[in-house]
């Protein structure tokens, strides 16, 4: 059977494609390479069960894939720098992309997963965030193209499920890091590692007291596979996927400097608008429905692997 991964050349998508191929699946990777990289899938292109479709998801309504059993819908720029670059396009990608993938799911009967985000909680007033919290999103702000696009996609998924019986799963991904992150996507982990490795200033936005919790990509992929392969059609989610260990951004900066032995110094820059103050997932639901799933990779181990990736792939 075939599996379609939209956004398959991106950071999470490319790690997912590798896992699916290792499981014996035939993988169709749909990507327009806007905020992803052909380098992420270069090693896969000669694989007999890997097929790359270089196409914008907004124009993918005609796509026909034989024996399609599953769709993972990941296509969307996900870092603030990339999703704000062409904000209208970001909304089109989330909303029209979701509609196109859902229509394909209806035609083929495939199970479909929506990669949603902790951003649906906005700047949360409930901590840690549980799935039944509706969030605190500024619908007019600079993050709204992403936040509201993803919220609309969740709504589309639930409505296709209710109206057409589409077999859906919605996951809300919290901050994730690891190999295949883009070095220039402006995210905190990639920024700090690149800055540290090149002895440039480490740029903390605000005073660095805002928190995030960081999940290593392998833990996320484990959960995504479990949700799609091991849960019943009745389970739609949404379900939070993240690592509940919470760190301040200043702690991350200090950890990266220590681990790289860098000579970089920390500088403080203005905090971007609507930057959430705290973020930490409640993963009780995931733990329950995914047979005890819990993130296994410690921050120090995940950072060590990510630093090694940037050293040997980007700065080679
Ligand atoms: N951040 C920072 N310096 C950077 C990049 C990001 O201090 O060079 C901060 C950012 O303001 C936010 C946190 O790190 O508070 C996480 O940012 P990221 O863009 O990685 O993810 P998101 O804000 O979407 O959680």
């Amino acid at each position: 059977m075939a599996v379609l991964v939209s956004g398959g050349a991106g950071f999470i998508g490319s790690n997912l494609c590798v896992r699916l191929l290792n499981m014996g699946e035939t993988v169709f990777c749909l990507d327009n390479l806007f905020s992803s990289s052909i380098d992420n899938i270069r090693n896969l292109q000669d694989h007999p069960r890997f097929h790359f479709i270089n196409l914008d998801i907004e124009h993918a309504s005609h796509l026909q894939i034989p024996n399609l059993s599953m769709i993972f819908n990941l296509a969307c720029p996900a870092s603030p720098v990339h999703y704000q670059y062409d904000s209208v396009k970001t909304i089109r990608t989330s909303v029209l992309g979701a509609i196109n993938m859902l229509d394909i799911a209806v035609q083929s009967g495939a199970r479909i997963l929506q990669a949603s985000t902790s951003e649906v909680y906005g700047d949360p007033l409930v901590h840690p965030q549980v799935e039944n919290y509706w969030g605190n999103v500024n619908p007019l702000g600079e993050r709204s193209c992403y936040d509201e696009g993803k919220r609309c996609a969740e709504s589309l998924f639930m409505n296709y499920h209710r109206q057409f019986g589409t077999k859906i799963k919605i996951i809300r991904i919290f901050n994730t890091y690891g190999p295949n992150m883009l070095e220039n996507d402006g995210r905190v982990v990639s920024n700090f590692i690149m800055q540290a490795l090149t002895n440039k200033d480490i740029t903390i936005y605000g005073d660095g007291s805002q928190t995030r919790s960081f999940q290593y990509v392998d833990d996320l992929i484990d959960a995504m596979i479990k949700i799609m392969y091991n849960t019943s059609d009745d389970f739609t989610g949404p379900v939070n996927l993240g690592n509940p260990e919470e760190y301040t951004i200043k702690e991350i900066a200090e950890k990266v400097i220590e681990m790289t032995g860098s000579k970089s110094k920390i500088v403080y820059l203005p905090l971007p608008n609507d930057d959430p103050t705290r973020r930490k997932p409640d993963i009780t639901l995931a733990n329950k429905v995914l047979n005890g799933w819990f993130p296994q990779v410690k921050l120090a181990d995940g950072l060590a692997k990510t630093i090694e990736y940037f050293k040997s792939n980007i700065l080679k």
Side-chain angles (χ1 to χ4, degrees):
M1 299 294 276
V3 179
L4 172 62
V5 180
S6 80
F11 156 48
I12 294 170
S14 55
N15 281 284
L16 176 63
C17 287
V18 170
R19 181 72 67 91
L20 290 165
L21 288 170
N22 289 341
M23 289 165 58
E25 298 287 21
T26 297
V27 176
F28 288 81
C29 162
L30 167 75
D31 208 300
N32 68 348
L33 301 175
F34 168 71
S35 57
S36 51
S37 167
I38 197 77
D39 290 337
N40 288 343
I41 53 167
R42 205 176 291 285
N43 293 343
L44 308 181
Q45 282 188 307
D46 293 334
H47 194 294
R49 283 184 280 104
F50 182 79
H51 308 277
F52 177 49
I53 307 165
N54 189 341
L55 180 68
D56 187 328
I57 192 169
E58 206 191 304
H59 306 297
S61 58
H62 64 281
L63 211 62
Q64 287 197 335
I65 294 174
N67 300 319
L68 187 64
S69 65
M70 285 187 194
I71 304 171
F72 289 83
N73 185 35
L74 276 63
C76 191
S79 79
V81 170
H82 282 142
Y83 69 63
Q84 288 168 18
Y85 170 78
D86 184 347
S87 52
V88 173
K89 176 71 182 164
T90 299
I91 301 175
R92 296 180 71 91
T93 302
S94 263
V95 176
L96 300 176
I99 292 173
N100 285 340
M101 292 301 107
L102 284 161
D103 284 342
I104 294 172
V106 170
Q107 284 154 24
S108 59
R111 214 170 231 216
I112 180 166
L113 174 140
Q114 169 64 6
S116 190
T117 164
S118 55
E119 283 286 322
V120 299
Y121 299 119
D123 192 357
L125 303 176
V126 167
H127 196 79
Q129 290 78 58
V130 267
E131 287 86 351
N132 60 11
Y133 173 50
W134 292 351
N136 178 37
V137 171
N138 173 359
L140 308 174
E142 285 161 16
R143 285 183 176 241
S144 68
C145 57
Y146 186 67
D147 301 5
E148 298 291 12
K150 288 285 188 178
R151 286 169 70 98
C152 182
E154 285 199 11
S155 169
L156 281 163
F157 268 65
M158 283 313 295
N159 283 295
Y160 268 70
H161 174 67
R162 280 190 288 258
Q163 209 167 320
F164 308 119
T166 313
K167 291 176 261 175
I168 65 153
K169 312 278 175 194
I170 299 171
I171 60 169
R172 292 182 178 153
I173 303 175
F174 284 65
N175 297 61
T176 303
Y177 69 99
N180 292 6
M181 287 183 96
L182 280 185
E183 76 276 16
N184 60 354
D185 77 353
R187 283 182 175 281
V188 68
V189 171
S190 43
N191 269 11
F192 286 1
I193 292 178
M194 286 300 292
Q195 290 162 346
L197 289 176
T198 53
N199 292 315
K200 297 207 173 103
D201 289 348
I202 304 273
T203 53
I204 288 186
Y205 304 156
D207 63 5
S209 64
Q210 70 271 36
T211 71
R212 295 290 187 275
S213 34
F214 295 93
Q215 157 177 247
Y216 189 66
V217 65
D218 287 358
D219 284 326
L220 171 66
I221 304 290
D222 286 346
M224 290 170 81
I225 296 294
K226 282 195 160 117
I227 285 187
M228 283 297 258
Y229 288 80
N230 301 339
T231 61
S232 75
D233 287 346
D234 296 340
F235 181 73
T236 61
V239 58
N240 290 336
L241 296 179
N243 189 323
E245 261 184 43
E246 189 181 5
Y247 295 89
T248 66
I249 294 306
K250 187 152 189 269
E251 284 171 330
I252 299 296
E254 287 164 353
K255 184 112 196 132
V256 169
I257 292 175
E258 177 204 314
M259 289 183 67
T260 50
S262 173
K263 298 192 184 68
S264 295
K265 61 179 194 324
I266 292 176
V267 296
Y268 292 88
L269 300 178
L271 191 68
N273 289 334
D274 293 329
D275 198 281
T277 327
R278 298 186 77 182
R279 193 185 282 149
K280 165 181 163 145
D282 181 319
I283 56 167
T284 312
L285 177 64
N287 182 259
K288 187 166 145 235
V289 294
L290 304 180
N291 293 326
W293 172 83
F294 196 88
Q296 298 297 312
V297 182
K298 296 267 161 280
L299 183 70
D301 297 336
L303 280 180
K305 288 185 186 172
T306 312
I307 290 166
E308 186 47 43
Y309 166 77
F310 279 110
K311 256 192 208 162
S312 50
N313 289 272
I314 308 300
L315 294 171
K316 63 186 176 221

